[in-house]
Amino acid sequence: MARVTLKDIAAEAGVSVMTVSNVVNGNSGRVSPATAELVERIVAARGYVPSGPARSLAARRTRLVGLLLPARADGTSLLGSAHDVSVAGALEAALRARDHHVMLRGVATAADVRDSVARWSLDGLVVMGFTDDEVRSLELPAVPTVLVDAAVPPGTRAAAVRADDADGGRLAGEHLLALGHRRVAFCGPTDVRSQVVDGRLDGLRAALADAGAPAPLVVVANTTYEAGLAAAPAVAAGGVTAVFASADVLAAGIERGLAAAGVRVPDDVAVVGFDDAEIARYVSPTLSTVAQDTAAKGRAAAELVLGLIDDEPGAGAVAGSPTRSRGVAADDGVVHIGVSFVARESTGTVRA
Amino acid sequence: MARVTLKDIAAEAGVSVMTVSNVVNGNSGRVSPATAELVERIVAARGYVPSGPARSLAARRTRLVGLLLPARADGTSLLGSAHDVSVAGALEAALRARDHHVMLRGVATAADVRDSVARWSLDGLVVMGFTDDEVRSLELPAVPTVLVDAAVPPGTRAAAVRADDADGGRLAGEHLLALGHRRVAFCGPTDVRSQVVDGRLDGLRAALADAGAPAPLVVVANTTYEAGLAAAPAVAAGGVTAVFASADVLAAGIERGLAAAGVRVPDDVAVVGFDDAEIARYVSPTLSTVAQDTAAKGRAAAELVLGLIDDEPGAGAVAGSPTRSRGVAADDGVVHIGVSFVARESTGTVRA
DNA sequence: CGTTAAACGTATAGCGCTAAACCTCACGTA
DNA sequence: TACGTGAGGTTTAGCGCTATACGTTTAACG
């Protein structure tokens, strides 16, 4: 049961291997319909599948996209959040639909990145789960690259996909304002450079400022449940009546931490998260949150890499400059996924 | 900035490409230490990385392992549960440490499986997230294959990794018995064939039987939060004082559903889940659960495939017959990962 | 001393595929 | 009649690597 090759098909059809190759790759115009049909029938009958390695070697393209994720020393899972899992799933599905495959690869250093790209001649890269500074330290090579939720390092040719974080922050702020809150806290990893977190905070700031409310109290916390538990006292002591957390896990931890401190949610303090992760519906009270369409994010990332791969690499295009892409284009090379607010128990209901 | 090839290194070192190849592949005995050192220095200096496609084509092995996951029509994420995410992460890390790469691939049909294997000449397969029947319908090809949490279809040469589910069920049962419970319900997808679910139920049954307690009430429910919500009334109406769910998400849903029905947890009904997923610590009351080491599961899966790949394929080895593997061996070709009980609020404390 | 065999290499022949150049013929046209 | 020209192929020449067979030395041994 050796592999069926082009040669086998060619022999059976009585044509040259190039003709079979042309049929398989849809290079019409070089093959008569009759011959094409004959070849196609034999291909189907013999169950011929082209060899990726051979094709890659000869054609100088692999139809392989690397999904680079953080390989943390502590061995925690590559896909650190429900958000990333969902994006990865949609990405794979979209790439699969376009006849591309995904190489899953944990990377920690720039050397890891170089190795993974060189080893398999990856046609493109999707980079997810890293902070802005980590991305910079990865020294992304000159391969079509899409960053998910990270800033494009200066001088790097890459595109990005992000939710409309500022709009999300604004939505959260406006919702809380509508409920009568004026003293609001923001909780998130504001200590690491992150356009995502900054965007959410800026959106909140803008909403509060527009309403003439005081600037938000900022409480620094990592994006984990435990950090939320730890941050709860600071929030409680801040004299605020509401808190907006940069992610749902964090919000869940805060909610729980507040409850443990005897603070009632939402009566004493309202809580808003971000992502509309499953956990937002599991905790009690259920978490109000800003929803982002993670599936759309994954699809957008897929379309972006494929677009970058197919386009002639416009010489000199760098970060910040326009990046053209198939389908989803954006002036600054960034695709912004729309967001929407989901009101649940943790903020109570808007007063009529 | 074309690719650096063996030829480049060979020219610079003044040796043949085969010598460089031998050095790069660690074929000592064919190269003098002096030459090897020279070549290695040049390889490092030039940043040479072997081409995966070329190597695969010539060597008839790709060092590629496919991670096959369910591509459901509804587009839900490939990695359906926190358990799967964690296993996948550990699997990737372990394979990476052994110089192998992971191809992420969603599959729905036997044709998808054949295609993915043939296209990239995958050396091995890890199949996860499918029910026993789905696995059967995938008609796994004769490639070294490891199934995670699924039964090996008859006539198929494959190994499997599972937690010690029966032991887990027993642990849950014994814990509940120790708390004085005698009328216990089991909740899970008992309507689909699954050695995993069956194992957990059997373990519970055994524990109850050993203690002379009545057989458990079985409530059928999918492994989702929503199914848990829906199943709660049946549990409440069952006249039981405790319920053991086959997974934490389900347990969380049940817990919440019980609360909604005015049943107090753990005072009226104690709840136990399985997996020690993060959600078990996020819900309130926090969920008692049976913990399984998902990282060990991922590593075991990696070792198993690599073992199967390296071993001479003992002709005729089929499901159920011994499958030898590197490191983690098992008489029935199944690696059982140990489990442990984690007591939390949802079962109260054991009476002294 | 001839013989043997390690030790250290090199030359050859592909792996399965594709890009690019080349061929061949029928047909229309100046 | 000579001459494009386009359709429908085929031939050639690798892509970058490895398995295999085939040299060379050098040292050991009876």
Side-chain angles (χ1 to χ4, degrees):
Chain A
M1 60 159 284
R3 167 172 209 107
V4 180
T5 70
L6 272 190
K7 211 146 102 184
D8 300 330
I9 307 295
E12 190 167 337
V15 297
S16 72
V17 289
M18 268 320 294
T19 298
V20 180
S21 172
N22 282 326
V23 171
V24 170
N25 294 295
N27 289 357
S28 56
R30 313 186 70 72
V31 184
S32 73
T35 309
E37 212 228 331
L38 167 67
V39 170
E40 257 154 14
R41 195 163 45 240
I42 298 176
V43 163
R46 300 287 299 271
Y48 168 74
V49 177
S51 154
R55 191 182 254 196
S56 301
L57 194 56
R60 280 91 198 300
R61 60 184 276 206
T62 53
R63 294 159 187 271
L64 242 34
V65 172
L67 176 57
L68 303 191
L69 301 165
R72 313 244 185 245
D74 60 0
T76 49
S77 174
L78 295 179
L79 291 157
S81 65
H83 165 272
D84 290 359
V85 172
S86 177
V87 172
L91 175 79
E92 194 277 337
L95 288 175
R96 176 155 35 86
R98 304 279 214 130
D99 196 25
H100 281 245
H101 281 81
V102 175
M103 292 239 22
L104 189 63
R105 178 63 141 91
V107 296
T109 66
D112 290 344
V113 176
R114 271 200 309 279
D115 180 86
S116 60
V117 171
R119 172 114 16 200
W120 283 102
S121 311
L122 302 176
D123 282 349
L125 245 36
V126 173
V127 179
M128 184 163 69
F130 294 93
T131 65
D132 288 5
D133 287 335
E134 285 172 338
V135 168
R136 194 177 320 251
S137 76
L138 291 179
E139 296 166 21
L140 298 173
V143 169
T145 300
V146 172
L147 305 176
V148 177
D149 278 356
V152 178
T156 306
R157 174 175 151 69
V161 185
R162 286 201 289 276
D164 197 333
D165 295 297
D167 191 41
R170 207 177 38 70
L171 286 179
E174 286 172 356
H175 180 79
L176 292 171
L177 287 163
L179 287 169
H181 298 282
R182 293 186 55 83
R183 295 198 50 79
V184 179
F186 176 84
C187 192
T190 51
D191 52 340
V192 296
R193 215 181 314 282
S194 163
Q195 294 198 353
V196 171
V197 176
D198 290 353
R200 294 174 192 179
L201 174 51
D202 288 347
L204 175 66
R205 280 207 174 103
L208 293 176
D210 286 354
L217 166 73
V218 176
V219 177
V220 179
N222 284 335
T223 314
T224 66
Y225 187 82
E226 287 69 27
L229 287 175
V235 171
V240 299
T241 63
V243 55
F244 169 43
S246 64
D248 283 341
V249 261
L250 177 58
I254 293 170
E255 186 180 88
R256 176 84 170 198
L258 289 174
V263 178
R264 288 168 308 160
V265 177
D267 306 299
D268 298 333
V269 173
V271 180
V272 175
F274 205 109
D275 280 347
D276 196 17
E278 291 203 311
I279 187 180
R281 274 166 291 147
Y282 297 169
V283 295
S284 63
T286 54
L287 218 49
S288 295
T289 185
V290 178
Q292 57 173 314
D293 189 341
T294 49
K297 219 166 173 178
R299 284 193 301 270
E303 295 301 324
L304 271 175
V305 240
L306 293 176
L308 290 173
I309 291 172
D310 286 358
D311 281 354
E312 281 314 311
V318 296
S321 78
T323 302
R324 196 147 315 288
S325 100
R326 180 206 319 228
V328 279
D331 279 350
D332 57 351
V334 178
V335 174
H336 288 277
I337 302 295
V339 296
S340 59
F341 194 84
V342 180
R344 294 214 184 86
E345 296 165 353
S346 69
T347 52
T349 43
V350 179
R351 295 173 196 170
Chain B
M1 61 158 285
R3 161 171 216 111
V4 180
T5 71
L6 271 191
K7 213 146 99 183
D8 300 330
I9 307 295
E12 190 166 337
V15 297
S16 72
V17 290
M18 269 319 295
T19 297
V20 180
S21 172
N22 282 326
V23 171
V24 170
N25 294 294
N27 288 358
S28 55
R30 312 184 72 74
V31 184
S32 73
T35 308
E37 212 227 333
L38 168 67
V39 170
E40 255 153 16
R41 195 163 46 239
I42 298 177
V43 162
R46 299 287 300 273
Y48 168 73
V49 177
S51 152
R55 192 183 255 198
S56 300
L57 193 56
R60 281 86 202 302
R61 59 183 278 203
T62 53
R63 296 160 186 266
L64 242 33
V65 172
L67 175 56
L68 304 190
L69 301 165
R72 314 245 183 245
D74 61 0
T76 49
S77 174
L78 295 178
L79 290 157
S81 64
H83 165 272
D84 289 359
V85 172
S86 176
V87 172
L91 175 79
E92 194 277 337
L95 288 175
R96 175 155 35 86
R98 303 282 213 130
D99 196 25
H100 281 246
H101 281 82
V102 175
M103 290 237 26
L104 190 63
R105 179 63 142 92
V107 296
T109 67
D112 290 344
V113 176
R114 271 200 308 280
D115 179 87
S116 60
V117 172
R119 171 118 11 201
W120 282 103
S121 311
L122 302 176
D123 282 349
L125 245 36
V126 173
V127 179
M128 184 163 70
F130 294 93
T131 66
D132 288 6
D133 287 336
E134 284 172 337
V135 168
R136 194 178 320 250
S137 77
L138 290 180
E139 297 166 21
L140 298 173
V143 168
T145 298
V146 172
L147 306 176
V148 177
D149 278 357
V152 178
T156 306
R157 173 174 153 68
V161 186
R162 286 201 289 275
D164 196 333
D165 296 297
D167 191 41
R170 206 175 39 69
L171 286 178
E174 287 172 355
H175 179 79
L176 292 172
L177 287 163
L179 288 168
H181 297 283
R182 293 186 54 83
R183 295 198 51 79
V184 178
F186 176 84
C187 192
T190 51
D191 51 339
V192 297
R193 218 181 311 285
S194 161
Q195 294 197 353
V196 170
V197 176
D198 290 352
R200 295 174 190 178
L201 174 51
D202 288 347
L204 174 66
R205 281 207 173 100
L208 294 175
D210 286 355
L217 166 72
V218 175
V219 177
V220 179
N222 284 336
T223 313
T224 65
Y225 187 83
E226 287 69 27
L229 288 176
V235 171
V240 298
T241 63
V243 54
F244 170 42
S246 65
D248 283 340
V249 261
L250 177 58
I254 293 171
E255 187 180 85
R256 174 87 170 196
L258 289 174
V263 178
R264 288 169 308 160
V265 177
D267 306 299
D268 298 334
V269 173
V271 179
V272 174
F274 205 110
D275 280 346
D276 195 18
E278 291 203 312
I279 187 180
R281 274 167 290 147
Y282 296 168
V283 295
S284 62
T286 55
L287 217 48
S288 294
T289 184
V290 178
Q292 57 173 314
D293 188 341
T294 49
K297 220 166 173 178
R299 284 194 300 272
E303 295 301 323
L304 272 174
V305 241
L306 292 177
L308 291 172
I309 290 171
D310 286 358
D311 280 354
E312 281 313 311
V318 296
S321 78
T323 302
R324 196 145 317 286
S325 96
R326 177 205 323 226
V328 279
D331 280 350
D332 57 351
V334 179
V335 173
H336 289 276
I337 302 295
V339 296
S340 59
F341 194 84
V342 180
R344 293 213 184 86
E345 297 166 357
S346 70
T347 52
T349 42
V350 179
R351 296 171 195 170

Coordinates of all heavy atoms in Angstrom, one line a residue, chain A residues 204-264:
Chain A
L204 N -13.2 53.7 28.5 CA -13.9 54.0 29.8 C -13.7 55.4 30.2 O -14.6 56.2 30.6 CB -13.4 53.0 30.9 CG -14.0 53.3 32.3 CD1 -15.5 53.0 32.4 CD2 -13.2 52.5 33.4
R205 N -12.5 55.9 30.1 CA -12.1 57.2 30.5 C -12.9 58.2 29.7 O -13.5 59.2 30.2 CB -10.6 57.5 30.2 CG -9.7 57.0 31.2 CD -8.4 57.8 31.3 NE -7.5 57.4 32.4 CZ -6.4 56.6 32.2 NH1 -6.1 56.2 31.0 NH2 -5.7 56.3 33.3
A206 N -13.0 58.0 28.4 CA -13.7 58.9 27.5 C -15.2 59.0 27.9 O -15.8 60.1 28.0 CB -13.6 58.4 26.1
A207 N -15.8 57.8 28.2 CA -17.2 57.8 28.5 C -17.4 58.6 29.8 O -18.4 59.4 29.9 CB -17.7 56.4 28.7
L208 N -16.5 58.4 30.8 CA -16.7 59.1 32.1 C -16.5 60.6 31.9 O -17.3 61.4 32.4 CB -15.7 58.5 33.1 CG -15.9 57.1 33.5 CD1 -14.8 56.6 34.5 CD2 -17.3 56.9 34.2
A209 N -15.5 60.9 31.1 CA -15.2 62.3 30.9 C -16.3 63.0 30.2 O -16.8 64.1 30.6 CB -13.9 62.5 30.1
D210 N -16.9 62.4 29.2 CA -18.0 62.9 28.4 C -19.2 63.2 29.4 O -19.9 64.1 29.2 CB -18.4 62.0 27.3 CG -17.5 62.0 26.2 OD1 -16.5 62.8 26.2 OD2 -17.6 61.2 25.2
A211 N -19.3 62.4 30.4 CA -20.4 62.6 31.3 C -20.1 63.4 32.5 O -20.9 63.6 33.4 CB -20.9 61.2 31.8
G212 N -18.9 64.0 32.5 CA -18.5 64.8 33.6 C -18.2 64.1 34.8 O -18.1 64.7 35.9
A213 N -18.0 62.8 34.7 CA -17.8 62.0 35.9 C -16.3 62.0 36.2 O -15.5 62.2 35.3 CB -18.3 60.5 35.7
P214 N -15.9 61.7 37.4 CA -14.4 61.7 37.7 C -13.7 60.6 37.0 O -14.3 59.6 36.6 CB -14.4 61.5 39.2 CG -15.7 61.0 39.6 CD -16.7 61.5 38.6
A215 N -12.4 60.8 36.8 CA -11.6 59.7 36.1 C -11.6 58.5 36.9 O -11.8 58.5 38.1 CB -10.2 60.2 35.9
P216 N -11.5 57.3 36.2 CA -11.6 56.1 36.9 C -10.4 55.8 37.8 O -9.3 56.3 37.6 CB -11.6 55.0 35.8 CG -10.9 55.7 34.7 CD -11.3 57.2 34.8
L217 N -10.7 55.1 38.9 CA -9.6 54.6 39.8 C -9.0 53.4 39.0 O -9.7 52.5 38.6 CB -10.2 54.1 41.1 CG -9.3 53.3 42.0 CD1 -8.2 54.1 42.6 CD2 -10.2 52.6 43.1
V218 N -7.7 53.3 38.9 CA -7.1 52.2 38.2 C -6.4 51.3 39.2 O -5.5 51.7 40.0 CB -6.0 52.7 37.2 CG1 -5.3 51.5 36.5 CG2 -6.7 53.6 36.1
V219 N -6.8 50.0 39.2 CA -6.2 49.0 40.0 C -5.5 48.0 39.1 O -6.1 47.4 38.2 CB -7.3 48.3 40.8 CG1 -6.7 47.2 41.7 CG2 -8.1 49.3 41.7
V220 N -4.2 47.8 39.4 CA -3.4 46.9 38.5 C -3.7 45.5 38.9 O -3.6 45.2 40.1 CB -1.9 47.3 38.6 CG1 -1.1 46.3 37.7 CG2 -1.7 48.7 38.2
A221 N -3.9 44.6 38.0 CA -4.1 43.2 38.3 C -3.9 42.4 37.0 O -4.2 42.8 35.9 CB -5.5 42.9 38.8
N222 N -3.3 41.2 37.1 CA -3.1 40.3 36.0 C -4.4 39.8 35.5 O -5.4 39.9 36.3 CB -2.2 39.2 36.3 CG -0.7 39.6 36.4 OD1 -0.4 40.6 35.7 ND2 0.0 38.9 37.1
T223 N -4.4 39.2 34.4 CA -5.7 38.7 33.9 C -6.0 37.3 34.3 O -6.0 36.3 33.6 CB -5.7 38.7 32.3 OG1 -5.1 40.0 31.9 CG2 -7.0 38.5 31.7
T224 N -6.1 37.1 35.7 CA -6.4 35.8 36.2 C -7.5 36.0 37.3 O -7.7 37.0 37.9 CB -5.2 35.2 36.9 OG1 -4.8 35.9 38.0 CG2 -4.0 35.1 35.9
Y225 N -8.1 34.9 37.6 CA -9.1 34.8 38.7 C -8.5 35.2 40.0 O -9.0 36.0 40.8 CB -9.7 33.4 38.7 CG -10.9 33.2 39.7 CD1 -12.2 33.6 39.3 CD2 -10.7 32.7 40.9 CE1 -13.2 33.4 40.1 CE2 -11.8 32.5 41.8 CZ -13.0 32.9 41.4 OH -14.1 32.7 42.2
E226 N -7.3 34.6 40.3 CA -6.7 34.9 41.5 C -6.3 36.3 41.7 O -6.4 36.9 42.8 CB -5.4 34.0 41.6 CG -5.7 32.5 41.9 CD -6.3 31.8 40.7 OE1 -6.1 32.3 39.5 OE2 -7.0 30.8 40.9
A227 N -5.8 36.9 40.6 CA -5.5 38.4 40.7 C -6.8 39.2 41.0 O -6.7 40.2 41.7 CB -4.9 38.8 39.4
G228 N -7.9 38.7 40.5 CA -9.2 39.4 40.8 C -9.5 39.3 42.3 O -9.9 40.3 42.9
L229 N -9.3 38.1 42.8 CA -9.5 37.9 44.3 C -8.7 38.9 45.1 O -9.1 39.6 46.0 CB -9.2 36.5 44.7 CG -10.1 35.4 44.3 CD1 -9.5 34.0 44.7 CD2 -11.5 35.5 44.9
A230 N -7.4 39.0 44.6 CA -6.5 39.8 45.3 C -6.8 41.3 45.2 O -6.5 42.1 46.1 CB -5.0 39.5 44.9
A231 N -7.3 41.6 44.0 CA -7.6 43.1 43.7 C -8.9 43.6 44.4 O -9.0 44.8 44.6 CB -7.6 43.3 42.2
A232 N -9.7 42.7 44.8 CA -11.0 43.0 45.3 C -11.0 44.0 46.5 O -11.7 45.0 46.5 CB -11.8 41.8 45.7
P233 N -10.1 43.8 47.4 CA -10.0 44.7 48.6 C -9.7 46.1 48.1 O -10.3 47.1 48.6 CB -8.9 44.1 49.4 CG -8.9 42.7 49.1 CD -9.3 42.6 47.7
A234 N -8.7 46.3 47.2 CA -8.4 47.6 46.7 C -9.6 48.3 46.0 O -9.8 49.5 46.2 CB -7.2 47.5 45.7
V235 N -10.3 47.5 45.3 CA -11.5 48.0 44.7 C -12.5 48.5 45.7 O -13.1 49.6 45.7 CB -12.2 47.0 43.7 CG1 -13.5 47.5 43.2 CG2 -11.2 46.7 42.6
A236 N -12.7 47.6 46.7 CA -13.7 47.9 47.8 C -13.3 49.2 48.5 O -14.1 50.0 48.9 CB -13.8 46.7 48.7
A237 N -12.0 49.3 48.7 CA -11.5 50.4 49.5 C -11.4 51.7 48.7 O -11.2 52.8 49.2 CB -10.1 50.1 50.0
G238 N -11.7 51.6 47.4 CA -11.5 52.7 46.5 C -12.7 53.7 46.5 O -12.6 54.7 45.8
G239 N -13.7 53.3 47.2 CA -14.9 54.2 47.3 C -15.6 54.3 45.9 O -16.2 55.3 45.6
V240 N -15.6 53.2 45.2 CA -16.3 53.2 43.9 C -17.6 52.4 44.0 O -17.7 51.6 44.9 CB -15.4 52.6 42.8 CG1 -14.1 53.4 42.6 CG2 -15.1 51.2 43.1
T241 N -18.5 52.7 43.1 CA -19.7 51.9 43.1 C -19.8 50.9 41.9 O -20.7 50.2 41.7 CB -20.9 52.8 43.0 OG1 -20.9 53.5 41.7 CG2 -20.9 53.8 44.1
A242 N -18.7 50.9 41.1 CA -18.7 50.0 40.0 C -17.2 49.7 39.6 O -16.3 50.6 39.8 CB -19.4 50.6 38.8
V243 N -17.0 48.6 39.0 CA -15.7 48.2 38.5 C -15.8 47.6 37.1 O -16.6 46.7 36.9 CB -14.9 47.4 39.5 CG1 -15.7 46.1 39.8 CG2 -13.5 47.0 39.0
F244 N -14.9 48.0 36.3 CA -14.8 47.4 34.9 C -13.5 46.7 34.8 O -12.4 47.3 35.0 CB -14.9 48.5 33.9 CG -14.6 48.1 32.5 CD1 -15.1 46.9 31.9 CD2 -13.8 48.9 31.6 CE1 -14.8 46.5 30.6 CE2 -13.6 48.5 30.3 CZ -14.1 47.3 29.8
A245 N -13.5 45.4 34.6 CA -12.3 44.6 34.5 C -12.0 44.3 33.1 O -12.9 44.2 32.2 CB -12.5 43.3 35.3
S246 N -10.7 44.2 32.8 CA -10.3 44.0 31.4 C -10.6 42.6 30.8 O -10.4 42.4 29.6 CB -8.8 44.3 31.3 OG -8.1 43.3 32.0
A247 N -11.0 41.7 31.7 CA -11.4 40.4 31.2 C -12.3 39.7 32.1 O -12.4 40.0 33.3 CB -10.1 39.5 31.0
D248 N -13.1 38.7 31.6 CA -14.1 38.1 32.4 C -13.5 37.3 33.6 O -14.1 37.3 34.7 CB -15.0 37.2 31.6 CG -16.0 38.0 30.8 OD1 -16.2 39.1 31.1 OD2 -16.5 37.4 29.8
V249 N -12.4 36.6 33.4 CA -11.9 35.8 34.5 C -11.5 36.7 35.6 O -11.8 36.4 36.8 CB -10.6 35.0 34.1 CG1 -10.8 33.6 33.8 CG2 -9.8 35.7 33.0
L250 N -10.9 37.8 35.2 CA -10.5 38.8 36.3 C -11.8 39.3 37.0 O -11.8 39.4 38.2 CB -9.7 39.9 35.6 CG -9.3 41.1 36.5 CD1 -8.4 40.6 37.6 CD2 -8.5 42.1 35.7
A251 N -12.8 39.7 36.2 CA -14.0 40.2 36.7 C -14.6 39.2 37.7 O -15.1 39.5 38.8 CB -15.0 40.5 35.6
A252 N -14.6 37.9 37.3 CA -15.1 36.8 38.1 C -14.4 36.8 39.5 O -15.0 36.6 40.5 CB -15.1 35.5 37.4
G253 N -13.1 36.9 39.4 CA -12.3 36.9 40.6 C -12.6 38.1 41.5 O -12.8 38.0 42.7
I254 N -12.8 39.2 40.9 CA -13.1 40.4 41.7 C -14.5 40.3 42.3 O -14.7 40.5 43.5 CB -13.2 41.7 40.7 CG1 -11.7 42.0 40.2 CG2 -13.7 42.9 41.4 CD1 -11.7 43.0 39.1
E255 N -15.4 39.8 41.5 CA -16.8 39.6 42.0 C -16.8 38.7 43.3 O -17.3 39.0 44.3 CB -17.7 38.9 40.9 CG -19.1 38.8 41.3 CD -19.9 38.2 40.2 OE1 -20.0 37.0 40.1 OE2 -20.4 38.9 39.3
R256 N -16.0 37.6 43.1 CA -15.9 36.7 44.3 C -15.2 37.3 45.4 O -15.6 37.1 46.6 CB -15.2 35.4 43.8 CG -14.9 34.4 44.8 CD -16.1 33.5 45.0 NE -15.8 32.3 45.9 CZ -16.5 31.2 45.9 NH1 -17.6 31.1 45.2 NH2 -16.1 30.3 46.7
G257 N -14.2 38.0 45.1 CA -13.4 38.7 46.2 C -14.2 39.7 46.9 O -14.2 39.8 48.2
L258 N -15.0 40.4 46.2 CA -15.9 41.4 46.8 C -16.9 40.7 47.7 O -17.1 41.2 48.9 CB -16.7 42.2 45.7 CG -15.8 43.2 44.9 CD1 -16.7 43.8 43.8 CD2 -15.2 44.3 45.8
A259 N -17.5 39.6 47.2 CA -18.5 38.9 48.0 C -17.8 38.4 49.3 O -18.4 38.5 50.4 CB -19.0 37.7 47.2
A260 N -16.6 38.0 49.2 CA -15.9 37.5 50.4 C -15.6 38.6 51.4 O -15.6 38.3 52.6 CB -14.5 36.8 49.9
A261 N -15.5 39.8 50.9 CA -15.3 41.0 51.7 C -16.6 41.6 52.2 O -16.6 42.6 52.8 CB -14.4 42.0 51.0
G262 N -17.7 40.9 51.9 CA -19.0 41.4 52.4 C -19.6 42.5 51.5 O -20.5 43.1 51.9
V263 N -19.0 42.7 50.4 CA -19.6 43.7 49.4 C -20.6 43.0 48.6 O -20.3 41.9 48.0 CB -18.5 44.3 48.6 CG1 -19.0 45.3 47.6 CG2 -17.4 45.0 49.5
R264 N -21.8 43.5 48.5 CA -22.8 42.9 47.6 C -22.7 43.3 46.2 O -22.5 44.5 45.9 CB -24.2 43.2 48.2 CG -24.5 42.5 49.5 CD -25.7 43.0 50.1 NE -25.7 44.5 50.2 CZ -26.7 45.3 50.4 NH1 -27.9 44.8 50.4 NH2 -26.5 46.6 50.4

